[in-house]
Amino acid sequence: MTADISYTTEEIAKLLKISKLTVYDLIKKGDLPAYRVGKQMRVDASDLEAYKTRAKGDMLASPKADTPEPAPSTTSSGTSSGLSSVPKNTLVITGQDISLDILAKHIEKKIPNRWPLRSYVGSLDSLIAMYRGETDIVSTHLLDGDTGEYNIPYVRKILIGSSYVVINLVSRSAGLYVQQGNPKKIQGWADLKQKGLRLINREKGSGARVLLDEQLRLHGISYRDIIGYEREESNHMGVAGKVALGEGDFGVGIEKAASMVGGVDFIPLIQERVDLVMLKKPENLAWIERVKEVLQSEVFHNELRPIQGYNLSQTGRVLFET
């Protein structure tokens, strides 16, 4: 029966052929009633059908047509089964680093009336999603090759006209994954000029992809000369794993992933800065202060310190704001 069926946010995104961030945006606005089962968001099939019916009706109605406000979904089991209604009080956190999962856990404890939702989206796409109003906390690690600066040049261009704050999350060692023993003798970016090198690339919009493209540009190397430039993996572990298996000669990523994958060596080339961006809207100011407190807390730092490759010297520091 339809009443017994529910969907995850990933399944909703596939069914409606939209991004997961758009699903989160619908939930935040109350257009798509959702509830939590443990740490997972669920949407009942009946609520999905009701949303689709309303959406079709809105397309046919005049702009001034009065449409009823959707009611939050409820369940007969109440909260005893771990379910709680969260139509609007969510904080969407985008980015792929494990530090963001730890941050989400601390936010849930520090801000009990807000539910953190994690979306594993690359840096550039995350900033664009923030411009569209689809996310609340963006993690970004984008190098501007001309200035050597991380993140702020991109934030200033994409969030033009907005008031925002940029706070450091961590710094971490980034560089190249190569096969064990480094048979191609790759030592730096300039060595990527070698003919016949095979790349395992990251997806467009990711910080690692931007880092590679900027270094290729600065060193006068054409991406057309690199075999496998169009072959993409969606995370650091995937890139390191493919290089370890001999399917590529190199890839760009962070030290932590190399330490977790056997058969791959890591060449550190840059300290990249991972920052958080939050829009300073009046309704956001209270929870932004709570997030700052988490980032600056010793208990949060203590959870990050054991993770290989992290530098916490600037964690919690406000780097830029408008």
Side-chain angles (χ1 to χ4, degrees), residues 97 99 168-172 271 295-307 309-317:
D97 196 84
S99 59
N168 180 247
L169 177 61
V170 296
S171 295
R172 61 190 188 184
Q271 276 289 114
L295 292 169
Q296 295 167 0
S297 69
E298 191 65 20
V299 65
F300 179 65
H301 289 201
N302 285 340
E303 283 206 55
L304 296 184
R305 283 193 181 99
I307 301 176
Y310 279 0
N311 181 329
L312 308 183
S313 61
Q314 295 190 82
T315 300
R317 179 185 170 193

Side-chain angles (χ1 to χ4, degrees), residues 171-242:
S171 295
R172 61 190 188 184
S173 182
L176 299 174
Y177 304 127
V178 297
Q179 292 177 29
Q180 201 164 43
N182 195 7
K184 297 295 183 178
K185 308 301 179 186
I186 301 170
Q187 298 299 328
W189 303 111
D191 294 328
L192 302 185
K193 291 180 180 178
Q194 288 185 48
K195 297 296 183 183
L197 287 181
R198 298 169 300 148
L199 167 67
I200 305 296
N201 210 349
R202 282 293 304 277
E203 77 280 10
K204 293 177 181 177
S206 67
R209 177 67 167 260
V210 171
L211 174 59
L212 173 65
D213 287 344
E214 285 290 81
Q215 295 298 338
L216 293 180
R217 178 178 67 85
L218 292 172
H219 288 83
I221 305 171
S222 173
Y223 71 90
R224 297 182 181 88
D225 295 332
I226 299 178
I227 300 168
Y229 180 85
E230 302 297 335
R231 183 179 180 183
E232 300 177 354
E233 291 289 327
S234 62
N235 54 63
H236 295 296
M237 293 285 287
V239 173
K242 295 293 185 182

